[in-house]
Each structure stands twice: as C-alpha cells, then as structure tokens.
C-alpha cells in the first residue's frame, strides 16, 4: 500500500534548496583575548556561497560539500615592546675620556624606550568547508518541519596557514619601527625583529586558533548551520487546503489533514511520507 | 534516480488520500451531493435547490424529488482489489474507477401528519461504477488542474431505462468531478514551490507528478 502522500527531492533539488538557505550578504563576528604579554581584538567577516549536497543512505546523513567561505579576518595585536625586548643602547658601551676640571667627555649613546604597539593584521580568507547534518521531523504547532541538525564535529577548518600570515604581518609592522632608531644597523634590526617574533610566536599560533574558532562559531552560528535550533529545510502545514473557499458560507475550504510525517534518505533522495486523516 | 526520476522533485497522493479528500468535500460542501425541489424533509440536511419535475398534463407545481449522490469511492490503477468493476468496465493504466450510487425519491403523494403536510416518498437507488482519466486545463502552464471525466458507466437493475439512466448519471458524476478540481502542484503539500514538468499520471495506486523547483 503506498503512503497517503509522498514528497521526494533529488540531490540536485536539495542543492537548489540549500542555495536558498545561505545567508544573503556578509556575516561577521568579533571577540577579544588577553595573554600575559599580548592582547588582541579580532573579527571575522565572511560571505558564504556555493556548495552542493551529497546524500548518504547508509548513515542517513546529508553532507553540504564545499561551501565557499570568503572574506577577511582582522586583528589588532597589542603589546608593550618594553616587556619583550631587551634594554638596548647604541653604541652598547660609552667611551669616556677624562677632561678638564674633573669632567668627563663621553661618546654619544642612544638608548631607545620601547613603545607599546598595536599591530593591525589582515588575513584574507578563501576556504571551502563541508559539514554533515542529520534529519529530524519536528512538530511545531500547525506544521511538520523537516529539520537539519549540524553535526558540529563534521565542520573542519584548516587554520595552519593563518599563523604564518599573522607572524609575517607582525614582522612587516615592526621592521620599519626599528629602522627609525638613530644609528641602528640592519643586523641589530633583524635581531630585534627576531626577538619580537620569537616572543610573539606562541601568541600568533594561539591567535590563529582563536580566529579559526571564531570562524567556526560564525559559520555554525549563522542561519545556515544553527546547531541548536537546526535549519528548517522543508515545512509542511498540517492542514492542506486543496480547494479554497470562494468566500461564501456554503463553500468553505476543502482540506486534508496530515497526521504524521516521516523522512528518510533512500536511493539518493530525500523522501517524506505523510499519513492523512 | 528513485522517485524523482531525473527531476528535482516528486509528489504523489494515494487513492486513500483522495478518498479522504472526497469525504472532506462531502462534509464541507454537502450541497454538491444533495439536490431537492420544494420543501424536503429535514433528514436531508443542507441541499441544492432544484425546480420540481413538470410533467405534461400534471396539475399543481410539479413533482417534487430528492437526488442524493452516495459518497463516491475512488480507486487508482492498478486498483486495490476492493472495487469489483462489472464487465465490460476495466481499469487500465492512467485510469481511475469510481464507485458511487444515486438515490432518487419522488413525492408521489402528500399526507397530513399533525399540522404539517408531509410528502409520501417512493425511493430507488442506482449503483454506479465509472472509469475515467485525469484532465488538465493547460499542460504547458505552471498550474495544472486535476479534473476527471467518467467515460464509461454502468448501471444495474434498471431494465430498459439503463441507457438513459447511464447518460443522466454520467452527467451528474462528471458535474461532481468537475468540482473536485485542485492544482496538481498542491500535491507537494506546500513544502516546495513546485512547477509540474511531468504528469500527473496514475500508477501504483497513486496520482504522481514530477517537477522542478522554481
């Protein structure tokens, strides 16, 4: 006996529906962090597009494959260079000669005071992400909804390139600052940059992870992939009006009522079946 | 491929769903199933008023009558086996069968009961079987209507009046089926914006349609 009502959507059909669910325009999120020597405020702004659907009959899972995430991550990393750089004088040693009346004459020496800096960092983003969803039917007042629930562990974003980009941005910012110090030679500049970068290395890696986490939360928190509420892929009103009223009391709506909805993935399709009372 | 067969979406309603629709139609719009002239007895409920039968030479306002269409039961190819169609009717691919009945009562006389004038009824019931096909108003249009016509109809137990009875019943049944028109895309139950690309077709005891998502 066939089901009272059957609605099926193909993989291509679901891809069309998916594109209708992607957020229009960019979405963004920001946060802050403080460590012992550094602090940073950072934000991520992305636009989500593309992607296709793969249906897994066996696992009853829908995979959104290769959704393109493009945009930028910005960060302002602040630190007091005085806390990470050694006290430096140029030249390191003053040469003094005794002069008249007990006074000494010394060669000039410059000892810079290291400033606090706020380093702007921009990381371009252009990555593909995939995520898996399971299917549920949720009764919501007058509707049966087919809801997708994201499996959060399935969303994998590779952050390793970001740490290198962060360190490069720090290097590019500090190099000219050090180069402005009077009488400084380039070897010393390089040593100073190297010292600063080494101090910042762990922080850069942590910042990359934080940015990746922010990106992860932003994608998961968007309308597309809301993990708590789930995404409503299809909504079926329990009362289906097949012949609407013509407005006269003698001719009210003629409807059928859905009493139950089931959904599953079979033969590479999403199949919803309903009982009718 | 499965159900969608190369299209983006598929939607079907089974014979039992359509029969539930017919039942709800009869409940919501009983006047489609009951006709009467004059002042019929109250057991009839809501009805569509029709003129009395005027016979030549008869006096008075004509013969009052009641016509009731029994709740039709639909079956879809290849058939559930619950409806036995009398020969020569057969249920073929893309066809539906309908089993219904017609009860005709005429007021042959009147009597006084208490203070009221009450008709004395003479009733007969015809059993009707019909086979039909879907029709759509415009196959190239996004909105397709499901209508049907019964093009082969059998009456029993009416002797020589069989042919006349069949023709009249065909007219009545088709008039009823005309009122059961609904847009095919509603089979997607409002969940999808569905434009029909193939069908509707009757197979596997369902009315099936395939479409694209706009």
């Amino acid at each position: 006996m066939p089901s009272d009502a059957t609605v099926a959507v193909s993989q291509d059909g679901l891809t069309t529906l998916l594109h209708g669910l992607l957020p229009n325009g960019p979405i963004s999120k920001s946060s802050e962090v403080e460590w012992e020597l550094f602090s940073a405020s950072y934000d991520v702004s992305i636009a989500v597009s593309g992607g296709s659907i793969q249906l897994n009959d066996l696992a009853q899972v829908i995979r959104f494959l290769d959704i393109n995430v493009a945009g930028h991550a910005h960060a302002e990393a602040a630190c007091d260079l005085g806390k990470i750089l050694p006290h430096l004088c140029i030249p390191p040693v003053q040469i003094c000669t005794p002069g008249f009346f007990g006074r000494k004459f010394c060669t000039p020496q410059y000892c810079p005071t290291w400033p606090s800096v706020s380093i702007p960092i921009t990381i371009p983003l252009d990555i593909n992400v995939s995520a898996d969803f399971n299917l549920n039917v949720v009764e919501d007042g007058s509707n049966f909804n087919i809801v997708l629930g994201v499996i959060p562990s399935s969303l994998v974003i590779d952050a390793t390139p970001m740490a290198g980009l962060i360190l490069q941005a720090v290097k590019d910012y500090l190099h000219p600052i050090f180069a402005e110090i009077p009488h400084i030679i380039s070897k010393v500049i390089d040593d100073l940059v190297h010292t600063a970068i080494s101090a910042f290395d762990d922080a850069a890696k942590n910042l990359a992870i934080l940015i990746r986490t922010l990106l992860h939360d932003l994608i998961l928190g968007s309308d597309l992939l809301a993990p708590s509420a789930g995404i409503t892929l299809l909504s079926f009103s329990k009362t289906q009006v097949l012949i609407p009223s013509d407005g006269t009391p003698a001719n009210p709506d003629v409807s059928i009522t859905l009493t139950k909805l089931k959904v599953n993935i079979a033969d590479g399709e999403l199949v919803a079946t309903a009982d009718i009372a | 491929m499965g159900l969608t067969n190369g299209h983006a979406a598929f939607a079907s309603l089974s014979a039992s769903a359509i029969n539930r629709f017919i039942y709800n139609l009869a409940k919501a719009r009983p006047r489609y199933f009951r006709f009467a002239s004059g002042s019929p007895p109250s057991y009839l409920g809501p009805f569509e008023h029709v003129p009395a039968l005027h016979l030549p030479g008869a006096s008075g306002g004509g013969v009052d009558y009641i016509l009731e269409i029994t709740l039709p039961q639909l079956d879809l190819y290849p058939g559930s086996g619950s409806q036995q169609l009398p020969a020569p009717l057969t249920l073929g691919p893309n066809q539906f069968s309908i089993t219904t009945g017609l009860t005709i009562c005429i007021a042959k006389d009147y009597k006084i009961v208490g203070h009221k004038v009450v008709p004395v009824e003479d009733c007969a019931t015809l059993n009707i079987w019909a086979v039909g096909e879907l029709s759509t108003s415009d196959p190239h249009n996004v909105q397709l209507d499901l209508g049907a016509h019964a093009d082969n109809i059998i009456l029993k137990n009416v002797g020589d009046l069989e042919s006349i009875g069949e023709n009249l019943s065909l007219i009545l049944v088709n008039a009823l089926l005309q009122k059961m028109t609904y847009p095919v895309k509603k089979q997607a139950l409002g969940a999808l914006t569905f434009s029909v690309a193939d069908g509707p077709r009757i197979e596997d005891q369902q009315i099936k349609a395939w479409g694209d998502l706009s």
Side-chain angles (χ1 to χ4, degrees):
Chain A
M1 274 256 292
S3 299
D4 287 345
T6 306
V7 176
V9 187
S10 69
Q11 230 164 231
D12 287 346
L14 285 175
T15 300
T16 304
L17 289 179
L18 158 67
H19 290 155
L21 293 175
L22 292 178
N24 277 330
I27 47 177
S28 57
K29 198 167 164 139
S30 58
S31 190
E32 295 163 342
V33 67
E34 228 174 271
W35 297 291
E36 197 191 322
L37 295 173
F38 299 91
S39 67
S41 66
Y42 53 102
D43 63 78
V44 173
S45 177
I46 53 168
V48 178
S49 64
S52 64
I53 297 273
Q54 256 181 12
L55 294 177
N56 185 327
D57 286 21
L58 208 54
Q60 289 293 303
V61 147
I62 292 183
R63 168 162 288 189
F64 287 6
L65 198 59
D66 290 335
I67 300 171
N68 181 250
V69 174
H72 290 93
H74 293 280
E76 288 270 335
C79 78
D80 180 356
L81 286 175
K83 292 191 176 142
I84 56 170
L85 292 177
H87 178 66
L88 184 72
C89 288
I90 302 162
V93 177
Q94 261 186 323
I95 299 171
C96 299
T97 52
F100 298 110
F101 309 115
R103 288 175 68 189
K104 285 196 275 191
F105 290 100
C106 301
T107 52
Q109 191 184 45
Y110 179 68
C111 304
T113 310
W114 301 123
S116 283
V117 290
S118 186
I119 306 169
I121 302 164
T122 298
I123 303 167
L125 296 171
D126 186 359
I127 49 179
N128 284 338
V129 299
S130 300
D132 291 343
F133 297 78
N134 48 38
L135 278 175
N136 288 298
V137 174
V138 173
E139 225 179 299
D140 146 35
S142 53
N143 295 313
F144 285 112
N145 295 326
I146 294 181
V147 172
L148 301 181
V150 71
I151 301 166
S153 57
S154 69
L155 180 61
V156 175
I157 302 168
D158 183 9
T160 43
M162 285 196 231
L165 290 172
I166 292 169
L167 287 175
Q168 186 61 48
V170 171
K171 212 189 269 191
D172 292 345
Y173 185 84
L174 291 179
H175 198 280
I177 289 180
F178 297 144
E180 275 175 15
I181 299 168
H183 313 300
I184 201 165
I185 57 174
S186 54
K187 167 124 190 359
V188 176
I189 296 172
D190 288 345
D191 286 346
L192 285 170
V193 170
H194 189 260
T195 305
I197 293 290
S198 303
F200 197 63
D201 190 61
D202 273 349
K205 290 191 185 116
N206 284 329
L207 186 59
I209 291 170
L210 286 170
I211 289 175
R212 188 202 57 191
T213 304
L214 189 66
L215 186 61
H216 188 277
D217 290 350
L218 178 61
I219 294 172
L220 281 185
S222 72
D223 288 339
L224 175 63
L225 303 177
S228 48
I231 318 156
T232 297
L233 182 67
L234 295 173
S235 186
F236 296 79
S237 175
K238 285 182 189 171
T239 300
Q240 294 288 326
V241 176
L242 290 184
I243 304 177
S245 163
D246 63 3
T248 64
N251 293 325
D253 288 344
V254 182
S255 327
I256 50 177
T257 305
L258 307 185
T259 55
K260 196 159 97 171
L261 188 77
K262 290 206 294 222
V263 67
N264 77 324
I265 298 167
D267 291 332
E269 298 175 324
L270 181 85
V271 181
T273 53
D275 288 348
I276 287 180
Chain B
M1 288 281 261
L3 297 170
T4 54
N5 203 30
H7 294 280
F10 162 89
S12 74
L13 286 179
S14 72
S16 71
I18 301 283
N19 282 324
R20 175 48 67 167
F21 163 57
I22 295 172
Y23 176 86
N24 289 349
L25 177 74
K27 250 177 56 176
R29 303 190 183 185
R31 288 181 173 82
Y32 289 177
F33 296 79
R34 298 190 212 112
F35 308 86
S37 68
S39 307
S42 58
Y43 74 75
L44 188 63
F47 64 94
E48 177 87 17
H49 201 267
V50 289
L53 266 176
H54 287 270
L55 297 174
S59 60
V63 179
D64 281 328
Y65 67 98
I66 293 169
L67 260 181
E68 272 189 85
I69 303 175
T70 310
L71 184 70
Q73 289 292 295
L74 194 99
D75 204 4
L76 299 174
Y77 177 79
S80 64
S82 62
Q83 281 186 15
Q84 299 285 12
L85 294 176
L89 288 186
T90 56
L91 188 60
N94 259 323
Q95 289 184 327
F96 66 90
S97 68
I98 209 160
T99 306
T100 184
L102 207 56
T103 300
I104 306 165
C105 295
I106 63 160
K108 64 179 182 184
D109 203 347
Y110 291 88
K111 64 184 181 194
I112 312 278
V113 174
H115 299 285
K116 290 206 286 194
V117 176
V118 164
V120 177
E121 291 180 320
D122 197 357
C123 299
T125 298
L126 306 177
N127 297 315
I128 299 174
W129 297 264
V131 168
E133 281 162 8
L134 302 177
S135 68
T136 54
S137 54
D138 178 359
H140 300 295
N141 202 320
V142 166
Q143 173 134 343
L144 297 180
D145 299 324
L146 179 150
H149 66 275
D151 51 14
N152 206 338
I153 195 161
I154 296 289
L155 296 186
K156 295 286 183 190
N157 304 324
V158 285
D160 294 336
L161 282 176
E162 189 169 317
S163 172
I164 293 174
E166 282 176 4
N167 283 308
L168 290 177
S169 303
L170 191 65
I171 292 168
L172 270 173
V173 169
N174 275 327
L176 176 63
L177 291 176
Q178 272 277 300
K179 293 179 172 126
M180 282 167 48
T181 299
Y182 68 86
V184 172
K185 67 180 181 184
K186 288 211 173 182
Q187 291 192 176
L189 305 178
L192 304 165
T193 310
F194 182 83
S195 62
V196 179
D198 192 7
R201 285 212 292 271
I202 299 180
E203 54 189 50
D204 300 326
Q205 295 179 66
Q206 298 162 72
I207 298 177
K208 296 182 177 178
W210 293 262
D212 304 316
L213 303 178
S214 29

